[in-house]
């Protein structure tokens, strides 16, 4: 009533002191009621008193009053009303003043001020407990929870966390107060408070000091830590993961949850469905969490779950290597190597050709960020530290980074007088077969691999006698030494053998593609060799030169001794030059000598065996199942072979078979396979003559047109072009009955 009365009817300063000296809870409720009243004639004075109420620390008095009432079973309704008024005070003022708030009521100013008030109340609670008096902390917990769930974690925790970090360093009572502060937060607000602490704690040891065994006592907190943050969300930084998993590792009661979390992460990591359908960012996040967990495990904990780790590793690495994305395969290799090194400390471990030379240890903030961001971007991290081994201490993580070292700084031996021992290159093809099949001489083996391609091309007759045997040796040939460019040399030798004797070698390679006991890498090698050989066979070996005729050209013969001959020629040339208009001056046309297309007679041997048995699953090879990476390479290979078969006799039959193949796979779920199907359609349209397309493949083209038209949601540019091509093909032929 004082706030609503005219100014002349009230003593100056009396009514302000009423609010500042009255019981703080009732005073706050009365001020906010006066602020909200439509009959308030002195709104500015009400706001002024409210501002003074906040600045003089009356908010801490309100919270302390409620804490004492809770110990004596105070009114729950009044406590709930005060909670809403304290947390939403900036909103109440802003709604009434239409945004023209005093600075103290700006959220960025008010909530840090409220954090300071919370610290004052906690100090009073600490003094009360030390004096043997009873009080409750739950109201302060409710204030903290409601502020955090309203999205003001940063403002209040920027004041609260540093103070609690200092106060809990050596005081057990403050540690218990902090534990109780978080434990009393209601479950509906627990996630916001817990994430605020985890994201802003300066380290796992500080987080352990602030939270205690919260995850063991509170089911909601346990769900947030072990499930939601690790398995359902993936936007948190590596620092958050390190804080969270380090917190689980710092107490014997919480370490059981660490092992449980690791097994659940590995279950998700090893799920083929998760690898196929989850985004790469989430798989990167889970991989980082697994590696951090592994770095915290102790020997007896590894021993207790060794079988589970081994099973998860085998299932997970298979799922990742089956992926068509290079970064996913690389992540699988890194995690599998780390698990293998943990469970096989004395025996052999997994080693992949991934050039990551940094060891993943505990507390590596910068290490994790660098390695995994580069891997998921598609490039592998190369970090070379020369000289002695480097132990770099990082105060932010209180740990060491261990790097491998290089031998670049070692003193070299004096080798000025040494002479290189040269091994003679083989001269005969059969000598090459003997060396590659079983020789233990490493130098001789390397020399043979380097010389094999040129030797095959120089001796086609000798190569044809042993072509299939040589192709078999090259297909199974493995690198014995760290030979530079071994894969390329082996592939070029295979291509040389295949182009020298196409039919029997192509029959052998295509039959082995669907055989047992071959790795996916070998099957992909077969496809690559077939494509390169077909490309070489389809191109002309030499280009013709300009033909010069020896027949005499017609010309005007001048009598010898004529003095005017030169003048006559000059006059005629000038007249011709002045009367002639030249639009371009270029080289004379070069007549290319016609050469046969060597791929024409063998195209069917390359193409049809590959397309026959794709739907027959084997024990270790299932194209329509898990081996979709090889299926994608097969589809792209068939598209290239189809394109190279242009103007060949078998092109029509090949096109018809390829369209039927595309129709069988049109609903495949992998994008790489579907992209290859569009390439197949484009190759058919480019290679098969138009009249054969319309006469022999009308039904297949209509089905393809209908399919492309109905699937334009996922078709890319190639699919759109193919659809337009098919439509133009039908529309441009007036004689067609379609």
């Amino acid at each position: 009533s004082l706030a609503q009365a005219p100014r002349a009817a009230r003593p100056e300063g009396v009514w302000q002191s009423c609010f500042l000296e009255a019981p703080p809870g009732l005073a706050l409720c009365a001020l906010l009621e006066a602020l909200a009243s439509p009959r308030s004639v002195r709104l500015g004075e009400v706001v002024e008193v409210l501002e003074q109420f906040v600045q003089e620390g009356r908010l801490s008095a309100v919270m302390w009053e409620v804490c004492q009432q809770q110990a004596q079973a105070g009114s729950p309704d009044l406590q709930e009303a005060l909670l809403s008024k304290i947390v939403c005070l900036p909103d109440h003022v802003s709604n009434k003043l239409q945004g023209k708030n005093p600075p103290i009521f700006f959220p960025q100013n008010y909530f840090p001020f409220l954090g300071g008030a919370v610290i004052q109340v906690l100090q009073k609670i600490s003094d009360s407990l030390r004096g043997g008096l009873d009080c409750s902390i739950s109201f302060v917990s409710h204030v903290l929870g409601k502020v955090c769930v309203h999205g003001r974690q940063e403002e209040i925790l920027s004041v609260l966390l540093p103070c609690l970090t200092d106060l809990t360093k050596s005081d057990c009572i403050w540690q218990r107060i902090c534990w109780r502060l978080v434990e009393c937060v209601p479950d509906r607000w627990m996630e916001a408070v817990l994430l605020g602490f985890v994201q802003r704690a300066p380290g796992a040891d500080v987080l352990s000091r602030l939270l205690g065994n919260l995850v063991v006592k509170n089911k909601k907190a346990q769900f947030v830590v072990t499930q939601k943050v690790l398995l359902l969300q993936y936007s948190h930084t590596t620092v958050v993961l390190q804080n969270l998993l380090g917190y689980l590792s710092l107490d014997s009661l919480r370490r059981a949850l660490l092992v449980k979390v690791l097994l659940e992460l590995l279950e998700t990591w090893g799920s083929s469905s998760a690898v196929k359908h989850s985004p790469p960012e989430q798989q990167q996040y889970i991989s980082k969490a697994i590696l951090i967990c592994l770095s915290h495990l102790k020997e007896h904990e590894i021993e207790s779950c060794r079988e589970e780790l081994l099973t998860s590793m085998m299932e997970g690495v298979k799922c990742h290597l089956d992926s068509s994305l290079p970064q996913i395969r690389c992540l699988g290799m890194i995690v599998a190597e780390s698990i293998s090194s943990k469970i096989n400390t004395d025996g052999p471990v997994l080693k992949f050709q991934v050039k990551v030379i940094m060891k993943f240890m505990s507390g590596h903030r910068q290490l994790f960020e660098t390695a995994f961001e580069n891997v998921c971007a598609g490039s592998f991290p190369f970090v070379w530290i020369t000289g002695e081994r480097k132990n770099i201490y990082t105060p932010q993580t209180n740990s060491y980074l261990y790097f491998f070292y290089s031998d670049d700084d070692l003193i070299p031996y004096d080798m000025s007088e040494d002479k290189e021992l040269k091994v003679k290159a083989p001269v005969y093809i059969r000598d090459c077969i003997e060396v590659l099949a079983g020789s233990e001489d490493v130098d001789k083996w390397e020399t043979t691999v380097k010389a094999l391609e040129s030797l095959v091309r120089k001796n086609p007759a000798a190569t044809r006698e042993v072509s299939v045997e040589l192709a078999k040796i090259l297909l199974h040939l493995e690198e014995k030494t760290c030979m530079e460019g071994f894969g390329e040399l082996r592939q070029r030798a295979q291509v040389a053998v295949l182009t020298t004797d196409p039919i029997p070698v192509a029959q052998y390679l295509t039959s082995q593609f669907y055989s047992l006991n071959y790795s996916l890498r070998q099957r992909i090698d077969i496809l690559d060799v077939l494509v390169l050989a077909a490309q070489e066979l389809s191109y002309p070996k030499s280009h013709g030169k300009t033909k010069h005729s020896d027949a005499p050209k017609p010309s005007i013969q001048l009598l010898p001794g004529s003095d005017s001959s030169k003048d006559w020629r000059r006059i005629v040339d000038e007249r011709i030059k002045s009367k002639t208009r030249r639009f371009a001056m270029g080289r004379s046309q070069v007549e290319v000598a016609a050469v046969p297309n060597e791929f024409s007679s063998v195209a069917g041997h390359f193409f049809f065996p590959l397309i026959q048995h794709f739907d027959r699953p084997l024990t270790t090879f299932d194209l329509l199942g898990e081996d979709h990476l090889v299926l994608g390479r097969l589809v792209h290979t068939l598209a290239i072979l189809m394109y190279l078969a242009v103007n060949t006799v078998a092109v029509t039959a090949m096109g018809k078979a390829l369209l039927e193949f595309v129709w069988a796979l049109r609903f495949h779920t992998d994008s790489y396979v579907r992209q290859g199907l569009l390439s197949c359609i484009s190759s058919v349209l480019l290679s098969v003559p138009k009249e054969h397309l319309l006469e022999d493949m009308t039904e297949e083209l209509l089905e393809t047109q209908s399919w492309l038209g109905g699937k334009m949601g996922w078709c890319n540019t190639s699919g759109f072009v193919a659809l337009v091509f098919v439509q133009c093909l039908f529309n441009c032929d007036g004689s067609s009955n379609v």
Side-chain angles (χ1 to χ4, degrees):
S1 61
L2 284 173
Q4 296 170 359
R7 187 180 183 89
R10 331 174 247 173
E12 186 66 29
V14 174
W15 72 282
Q16 290 95 334
S17 62
C18 291
F19 292 104
L20 298 177
E21 297 174 5
L26 295 176
L28 179 62
C29 292
L31 283 173
L32 290 179
E33 184 178 353
L35 180 70
S37 174
R39 296 181 297 167
S40 179
V41 295
R42 296 294 181 182
L43 181 61
E45 294 182 7
V46 174
V47 174
E48 182 180 347
V49 174
L50 190 58
E51 182 179 1
Q52 190 175 1
F53 183 91
V54 173
Q55 290 178 339
E56 291 187 2
R58 302 298 288 169
L59 287 178
S60 61
V62 173
M63 289 187 284
W64 173 240
E65 182 183 43
V66 177
C67 290
Q68 292 176 311
Q69 290 176 357
Q70 284 182 330
Q72 302 170 3
S75 171
D77 295 335
L78 177 60
Q79 294 169 8
E80 189 66 29
L82 287 174
L83 174 65
S84 177
K85 294 180 185 304
I86 290 174
V87 176
C88 302
L89 185 57
D91 297 332
H92 290 304
V93 177
S94 180
N95 289 338
K96 190 65 177 179
L97 300 182
Q98 298 299 316
K100 299 177 181 179
N101 299 13
I104 188 63
F105 296 113
F106 292 166
Q108 62 270 27
N109 298 330
Y110 175 77
F111 289 104
F113 193 89
L114 182 60
V118 169
I119 292 294
Q120 294 175 10
V121 177
L122 294 179
Q123 184 65 58
K124 291 181 179 180
I125 293 175
S126 173
D127 297 339
S128 178
L129 293 177
R130 294 176 198 275
L133 299 178
D134 193 15
C135 60
S136 174
I137 199 174
S138 61
F139 184 75
V140 184
S141 300
H142 287 205
V143 171
L144 176 62
K146 193 157 188 174
V147 170
C148 289
V149 86
H150 281 194
R152 296 299 173 180
Q153 298 162 306
E154 183 176 357
E155 288 87 350
I156 192 169
L157 292 181
S158 64
V159 174
L160 203 57
L161 266 183
C163 293
L164 292 177
T165 300
D166 293 335
L167 291 169
T168 56
K169 280 183 180 178
S170 57
D171 193 325
C172 61
I173 292 181
W174 267 106
Q175 287 184 10
R176 294 184 63 83
I177 288 174
C178 189
W179 297 349
R180 192 63 181 164
L181 173 68
V182 186
E183 289 173 9
C184 291
V185 174
D187 286 350
R188 63 185 184 276
W189 300 333
M190 178 62 73
E191 180 180 352
V193 175
L194 191 57
L195 283 179
F197 273 75
V198 172
Q199 290 170 345
R200 291 162 182 83
D205 54 340
V206 175
L207 190 63
S208 179
R209 200 165 69 233
L210 296 178
L211 299 182
N213 285 329
L214 175 68
V215 292
V216 179
K217 300 176 182 178
N218 189 289
K219 294 297 182 182
K220 177 67 174 183
Q222 186 177 127
F223 171 76
V224 171
V225 169
T226 62
Q227 298 289 323
K228 197 162 188 178
V229 175
L230 296 175
L231 298 174
L232 303 179
Q233 301 172 349
Y234 56 92
S235 60
H236 301 292
T237 63
T238 306
V239 177
V240 172
L241 286 176
Q242 289 175 318
N243 284 346
L244 199 60
L245 297 171
Y247 160 73
L248 293 180
S249 69
L250 290 177
D251 187 89
S252 58
L253 293 177
R254 303 194 295 261
R255 291 195 69 86
L257 289 177
L258 180 67
V259 177
K260 177 185 175 184
V261 162
L262 175 60
L263 296 178
E264 291 177 348
L265 286 169
L266 286 172
E267 183 180 356
T268 303
W269 179 76
S271 169
S272 59
S273 177
V275 172
K276 186 180 296 184
H277 298 103
S278 60
E281 293 81 8
Q282 185 172 11
Q283 297 181 51
Q284 172 196 358
Y285 184 83
I286 291 175
S287 300
K288 285 193 286 188
I290 290 173
L291 292 178
I292 297 173
C293 287
L294 287 173
S295 68
H296 289 300
L297 285 188
K298 297 180 180 179
E299 184 60 36
H300 69 277
E301 292 169 334
I302 295 174
E303 191 63 35
S304 66
C305 59
R306 188 182 300 274
E307 293 299 326
E308 292 89 340
L309 291 175
L310 180 61
T311 303
S312 300
M313 180 190 72
M314 299 304 295
E315 293 177 354
V317 75
K318 182 179 183 301
C319 297
H320 283 76
L321 292 181
D322 287 344
S323 174
S324 58
L325 299 176
Q327 58 266 39
I328 300 302
R329 296 199 295 271
C330 185
L331 280 176
M333 296 178 201
I334 293 173
V335 176
E337 283 186 359
S338 301
I339 299 174
S340 177
S341 64
K342 278 288 185 180
I343 62 179
N344 299 316
T345 54
D346 300 328
V349 297
L350 281 178
K351 282 293 180 184
F352 296 97
Q353 294 178 354
V354 184
K355 296 184 179 179
V356 180
I357 64 169
M358 299 185 296
K359 287 185 177 179
F360 293 95
M361 310 292 284
S362 61
H364 290 183
R365 177 181 306 180
Q366 186 176 3
L367 181 151
F368 279 110
E369 294 288 353
T370 303
F372 276 96
E373 287 176 3
N374 288 338
V375 167
C376 288
S379 61
F380 304 137
F382 294 84
V383 180
W384 297 97
I385 305 296
T386 60
E388 298 180 355
R389 176 172 174 152
K390 304 290 185 180
N391 296 342
I392 303 175
Y393 181 72
T394 56
Q396 294 87 354
T397 58
N398 193 26
S399 62
Y400 285 89
L401 301 183
Y402 295 90
F403 293 88
F404 283 83
Y405 62 90
S406 155
D407 58 358
D408 291 344
D409 292 344
L410 297 178
I411 300 175
Y413 288 106
D414 184 11
M415 304 178 65
S416 58
E417 301 297 329
D418 290 0
K419 295 182 180 179
E420 184 180 358
L421 297 177
K422 295 185 178 180
V423 180
K424 286 187 176 181
V427 180
Y428 301 104
I429 298 294
R430 293 190 181 274
D431 293 340
C432 295
I433 292 177
E434 292 178 2
V435 172
L436 297 178
S439 176
E440 298 297 331
D441 189 337
V442 175
D443 295 331
K444 196 172 183 180
W445 184 87
E446 285 189 359
T447 305
T448 302
V449 172
K450 293 177 181 178
L452 184 57
E453 181 196 5
S454 60
L455 196 60
V456 167
R457 296 190 185 279
K458 290 177 182 177
N459 301 278
T463 301
R464 292 189 186 98
E465 295 178 1
V466 292
S467 58
V468 175
E469 182 181 359
L470 186 56
K472 181 178 180 180
I473 291 174
L474 289 172
L475 181 60
H476 295 84
L477 189 64
E478 295 182 357
E479 186 176 5
K480 292 184 177 181
T481 62
C482 297
M483 181 179 178
E484 185 177 357
F486 167 77
E488 183 181 358
L489 291 171
R490 182 173 71 100
Q491 187 181 75
R492 284 161 52 183
Q494 287 178 292
V495 173
V497 173
L498 181 53
T499 54
T500 302
D501 197 10
I503 294 179
V505 177
Q507 290 174 346
Y508 169 75
L509 291 177
T510 53
S511 65
Q512 298 306 298
F513 180 77
Y514 289 106
S515 297
L516 293 171
N517 302 324
Y518 279 94
S519 66
L520 300 183
R521 179 70 265 173
Q522 287 175 307
R523 300 182 199 274
I524 293 176
D525 287 343
I526 291 174
L527 297 177
D528 292 341
V529 170
L530 290 172
V531 167
L532 293 173
Q535 196 172 19
E536 182 177 332
L537 290 172
S538 64
Y539 289 165
K541 295 295 184 296
S542 61
H543 296 283
K545 298 181 179 180
T546 305
K547 296 183 178 181
H548 300 281
S549 176
D550 296 332
K553 295 182 180 180
S555 61
I556 300 175
Q557 299 293 328
L558 299 179
L559 294 175
S562 174
D563 295 334
S564 63
S565 60
K566 294 182 180 180
D567 293 337
W568 178 87
R569 170 64 62 186
R570 179 177 57 80
I571 293 171
V572 171
D573 288 343
E574 288 179 356
R575 286 182 179 179
I576 293 175
K577 185 177 179 180
S578 63
K579 300 293 184 180
T580 303
R581 296 179 63 189
R582 292 181 174 86
F583 295 97
M585 296 291 290
R587 297 180 180 179
S588 58
Q589 294 292 329
V590 178
E591 297 182 12
V592 180
V595 293
N597 183 352
E598 298 181 13
F599 187 59
S600 176
S601 58
V602 299
H605 297 282
F606 282 65
F607 182 84
F608 289 110
L610 288 179
I611 210 170
Q612 285 178 349
H613 306 301
F614 73 95
D615 56 347
R616 299 182 185 178
L618 302 176
T619 306
T620 58
F621 184 51
D622 186 7
L623 276 179
L624 298 183
E626 299 178 350
D627 299 320
H628 49 80
L629 174 62
V630 184
L631 177 61
R633 295 294 293 270
L634 172 63
V635 174
H636 283 83
T637 299
L638 293 173
I640 296 172
L641 294 177
M642 184 72 231
Y643 178 75
L644 295 176
V646 62
N647 298 326
T648 62
V649 177
V651 67
T652 303
M654 290 171 61
K656 189 176 181 67
L658 189 56
L659 287 180
E660 294 176 355
F661 173 79
V662 169
W663 188 253
L665 297 175
R666 65 191 185 278
F667 296 122
H668 202 279
T669 58
D670 189 79
S671 59
Y672 183 60
V673 175
R674 298 197 303 269
Q675 183 182 3
L677 298 178
L678 296 177
S679 300
C680 290
I681 297 171
S682 302
S683 298
V684 171
L685 297 174
L686 291 172
S687 302
V688 181
K690 176 183 175 183
E691 56 274 10
H692 290 176
L693 283 172
L694 295 176
E695 292 176 3
D696 302 334
M697 293 180 240
T698 303
E699 184 177 350
E700 290 83 356
L701 284 176
L702 282 173
E703 292 174 343
T704 302
Q705 181 186 23
S706 174
W707 171 58
L708 289 176
K711 292 295 180 183
M712 285 307 295
W714 57 260
C715 279
N716 55 11
T717 306
S718 301
F720 179 73
V721 171
L723 176 62
V724 173
F725 200 159
V726 174
Q727 292 175 342
C728 292
L729 189 67
F730 287 132
N731 295 336
C732 291
D733 188 6
S735 62
S736 175
N737 294 324
V738 180

